[in-house]
Amino acid sequence: MKLKTLLDTPPWDWPADAGKTLLEVLTDAQAKADDRLAAAELAGDIVVINDELIDTLLTILHDNEESAALRSQAAIALGPLLEEMDTRLDDLDDPVITESKFEQIKDALEQLHLDGETPEDVRRSALEASVRAQQAWHEDAIRDAYSNDDGLWQLTAVFCMRYVRGFDEQILQALDSNNAAIHFEAVAAAGVHEIDAAWSHVTALASSEKTEKPLLLAAIDALIGIRPRQAGEVLGNLLDARDEDISDAASEALAIAEAIVEDSDYDNDEDATIH
């Protein structure tokens, strides 16, 4: 199967030889740069990932002759796999990869991030991928990234704060950032960590017609993380949004909020009622 076909096909409909196709593109030094980037991105999908693809991605990661863009994409491709293994390893009767391979990936990303000779883009990507399976070194790495004057490092830091606890103060600071990407990541992180002090900021975003669509969708998700019982009033106003993506997101979020409340031990006071 051709790479373009894979790009145009949902992963669950990929044929059995999809992994072989991606491997061929990744290992072909004469292939177009854009094709190898696309193959690296697709190679991390749980549908095809295996030891051979992992080893190929790790080889690219460590190869100084490869472009920083391809090395970065190889790192990012491993992130979802790390999260899958980290959150479900004890529940998986037949894990996608062995625990030793899991540890190999984590060690490789840590070393690449800590190596000052590694290109900056690759170091950032290594950190962003590795936090999907939290480790002891992440907290210091995120603090260093956040204190960096470079906006790209700060963006990486706030993204990583979604996955590592202990950064509520920094997340609240980032909500006031003039950098749209950092602001977006801060909203998402506030929802994940249920930061109550972010409630007024997030509700203002969700209630404003001036909020751009991606940020609005992030605010919708954050609402149910911060105050699921009070989210209904804001979400209800979005159910009839002209944009179907927004109305669908609000409807789904409302259903999730209701499920959270039903399963929780919240007090049944009037102020806590979902509207």
Side-chain angles (χ1 to χ4, degrees):
M1 173 174 275
K2 299 295 185 181
L3 178 63
K4 186 179 185 307
T5 304
L6 294 180
L7 288 167
D8 296 336
T9 306
W12 53 86
D13 287 333
W14 286 352
D17 66 347
K20 180 181 178 181
T21 298
L22 296 174
L23 188 64
E24 289 174 350
V25 176
L26 285 172
T27 55
D28 182 2
Q30 304 305 314
K32 294 180 180 179
D34 287 347
D35 287 347
R36 296 186 76 206
L37 278 171
E41 179 179 1
L42 298 180
D45 196 284
I46 204 71
V47 171
V48 294
I49 196 69
N50 55 35
D51 283 0
E52 193 171 12
L53 278 171
I54 290 170
D55 288 341
T56 299
L57 291 172
L58 290 175
T59 296
I60 290 171
L61 266 172
H62 288 98
D63 190 346
N64 293 327
E65 297 300 316
E66 296 284 9
S67 70
L70 182 60
R71 295 175 72 189
S72 294
Q73 184 57 68
I76 294 300
L78 294 168
L81 174 63
L82 291 182
E83 186 171 2
E84 174 81 3
M85 292 293 294
D86 187 57
T87 58
R88 299 187 57 204
L89 182 60
D90 294 338
D91 300 327
L92 294 175
D93 294 329
D94 184 22
V96 180
I97 59 173
T98 63
E99 190 166 0
S100 62
K101 184 64 70 175
F102 178 44
E103 295 299 325
Q104 181 185 356
I105 296 170
K106 292 193 293 183
D107 289 344
L109 292 173
E110 178 181 3
Q111 293 307 313
L112 280 166
H113 173 74
L114 296 177
D115 185 354
E117 298 300 316
T118 303
E120 296 282 284
D121 289 352
V122 181
R123 291 186 64 218
R124 286 195 299 269
S125 296
L127 179 57
E128 291 173 12
S130 68
V131 293
R132 308 289 281 270
Q134 186 174 344
Q135 299 158 70
W137 63 275
H138 284 145
E139 185 172 343
D140 286 342
I142 293 171
R143 291 190 187 281
D144 287 345
Y146 189 68
S147 64
N148 196 305
D149 292 335
D150 188 327
L152 290 174
W153 273 111
Q154 292 171 11
L155 175 59
T156 284
V158 181
F159 169 84
C160 291
M161 289 173 191
R162 287 200 216 181
Y163 300 93
V164 180
R165 290 191 175 277
F167 293 97
D168 288 12
E169 180 181 347
Q170 291 86 349
I171 291 169
L172 289 170
Q173 290 175 353
L175 288 175
D176 293 327
S177 174
N178 292 324
N179 183 308
I182 291 176
H183 186 199
F184 175 93
E185 295 298 341
V187 170
V192 169
H193 297 302
E194 305 172 7
I195 301 176
D196 194 71
W199 175 253
S200 60
H201 184 96
V202 174
T203 54
L205 292 174
S207 303
S208 173
E209 294 182 356
K210 296 181 179 179
T211 304
E212 295 186 359
K213 181 176 175 179
L215 184 59
L216 176 56
L217 293 174
I220 289 172
D221 285 341
L223 287 171
I224 60 175
I226 299 172
R227 294 186 188 177
R229 192 176 282 276
Q230 295 183 31
E233 183 174 355
V234 182
L235 293 171
N237 294 329
L238 296 171
L239 292 175
D240 295 326
R242 294 180 180 179
D243 188 309
E244 188 174 337
D245 291 337
I246 294 172
S247 60
D248 286 350
S251 178
E252 182 178 350
L254 187 58
I256 294 172
E258 291 173 345
I260 291 173
V261 171
E262 288 177 1
D263 292 340
S264 73
D265 294 325
Y266 281 89
D267 293 331
N268 293 320
D269 58 2
E270 182 177 353
D271 289 339
T273 301
I274 285 186
H275 300 283

